Amino acid sequence: MNKRLLLAGLAFALGAGVAQTALAQVKPETLVKQRQAAMTLQAKYFGPMAGMAQGKVPYNAETVAYNSALLDALSRMPWDGFAPASKDSTAKTAALPAVWGEPDKFKAAQENFHKAVAALVAVSRGGDEAAQKAAIGGVGKACGGCHQDFREKQ
Amino acid sequence: MNKRLLLAGLAFALGAGVAQTALAQVKPETLVKQRQAAMTLQAKYFGPMAGMAQGKVPYNAETVAYNSALLDALSRMPWDGFAPASKDSTAKTAALPAVWGEPDKFKAAQENFHKAVAALVAVSRGGDEAAQKAAIGGVGKACGGCHQDFREKQ
């Protein structure tokens, strides 16, 4: 496995950021399942970092770097799952009507989240624990800001 | 958002490949949910590429590059979800006992899959459609090889 070439490819391709699925062919229930899967995995990799920022989990620099990188990829995955067709799903969802009723605000919340993740990734390799914990807090705030308006209270 | 820095960080951190979760603290049901979420998203991003290789979906070079990069990240996510503790889950799962009964064989199947994904990523930027389709076929074969022995027939 040529890891150097592999990783260069990863960086290049994610920079493109093009549409990646033929949404018209995807069932509403599948859209919901896929977006929920992305949220589940964001929680998997963000959770330990949030614990570090809150002092509940021992700080580990390698985990911050690795989980931030995976969160970067995952942060690109939920959004096409909220396509209008997904409103026809009979699957259980906590998404509020505001997702489709206030698309500009929803889009702005996504961009706010992407900025927060980018800020975390930017410091995730540096070994500056305080800066990383601050950036982790920023991501948590961005998650919560979107959940506040666009997800049913849990 | 400093995309160049962000992506450099992504490549660096994924190269490290360190353990990223404190598994001891994760419920068995959560392990199952997380590994299934990773499989769901692998299908989301691999599916369109498989369709291209099979001639069922129009070939799109940008989609191959983007989806391959996300598949690269996703391919790292399912495996810790098969930790022995996950056997205690009451959640529905198609994982066969061989996952835990034949760990060396399961690990070899994972490595076979990682090699196939790496081979796909390596050609995913080049614009060589035939090479990409062959590599997509290789990933599909690696998926199927693992499912054959370690997942209930669907």
Side-chain angles (χ1 to χ4, degrees):
Chain A
M1 169 170 161
N2 187 331
K3 187 167 276 184
R4 192 168 297 275
L5 186 60
L6 167 70
L7 295 169
L10 180 61
F12 175 87
L14 288 180
V18 296
Q20 69 278 31
T21 46
L23 284 176
Q25 302 171 2
V26 181
K27 289 182 193 167
E29 286 72 22
T30 302
L31 291 171
V32 172
K33 185 181 175 186
Q34 290 172 339
R35 77 191 188 209
Q36 290 176 343
M39 295 293 178
T40 291
L41 290 169
Q42 288 182 138
K44 175 182 177 183
Y45 293 99
F46 182 66
M49 295 195 286
M52 289 179 207
Q54 293 161 1
K56 295 177 185 170
V57 175
Y59 172 75
N60 182 304
E62 286 192 338
T63 299
V64 170
Y66 187 74
N67 286 21
S68 296
L70 294 184
L71 186 63
D72 178 21
L74 289 165
S75 68
R76 302 157 195 263
M77 299 186 191
W79 316 113
D80 57 0
F82 292 97
S86 71
K87 284 196 284 184
D88 298 331
S89 167
T90 56
K92 190 180 170 192
T93 172
L96 292 173
V99 165
W100 301 281
E102 300 181 66
D104 291 347
K105 193 176 168 190
F106 186 51
K107 184 77 182 166
Q110 292 168 34
E111 286 169 3
N112 187 44
F113 172 63
H114 286 140
K115 278 183 195 165
V117 172
L120 171 58
V121 174
V123 296
S124 67
R125 291 189 296 155
D128 183 341
E129 183 179 334
Q132 291 175 359
K133 288 183 174 178
I136 290 165
V139 173
K141 199 173 166 186
C143 293
C146 200
H147 289 166
Q148 176 69 30
D149 293 328
F150 298 101
R151 187 178 71 163
E152 275 176 19
K153 297 287 169 288
Q154 305 287 293
Chain B
M1 168 170 162
N2 186 332
K3 187 166 277 185
R4 192 169 297 274
L5 186 60
L6 166 69
L7 295 170
L10 179 60
F12 175 87
L14 287 181
V18 296
Q20 69 280 30
T21 45
L23 285 176
Q25 302 171 1
V26 181
K27 289 181 192 168
E29 287 73 21
T30 303
L31 290 171
V32 173
K33 184 180 174 186
Q34 290 172 339
R35 76 191 187 207
Q36 290 177 342
M39 295 292 178
T40 292
L41 290 168
Q42 287 182 139
K44 175 182 176 183
Y45 293 99
F46 182 65
M49 294 195 287
M52 290 179 206
Q54 293 161 0
K56 295 178 185 169
V57 175
Y59 172 74
N60 182 303
E62 286 192 338
T63 299
V64 171
Y66 187 76
N67 285 21
S68 296
L70 294 184
L71 185 63
D72 178 22
L74 289 165
S75 68
R76 302 157 195 263
M77 297 185 192
W79 317 113
D80 57 0
F82 291 97
S86 71
K87 285 195 285 184
D88 298 332
S89 168
T90 57
K92 191 180 170 192
T93 172
L96 292 173
V99 166
W100 301 281
E102 300 181 65
D104 290 347
K105 193 176 168 190
F106 186 50
K107 183 78 182 165
Q110 292 167 35
E111 285 168 5
N112 188 45
F113 172 62
H114 286 140
K115 278 182 194 165
V117 173
L120 172 58
V121 174
V123 296
S124 67
R125 292 188 295 154
D128 182 341
E129 183 179 334
Q132 291 174 358
K133 288 183 174 177
I136 290 165
V139 172
K141 199 172 165 185
C143 293
C146 200
H147 289 166
Q148 176 69 29
D149 294 329
F150 298 102
R151 188 179 70 163
E152 275 176 18
K153 297 288 168 287
Q154 304 285 296

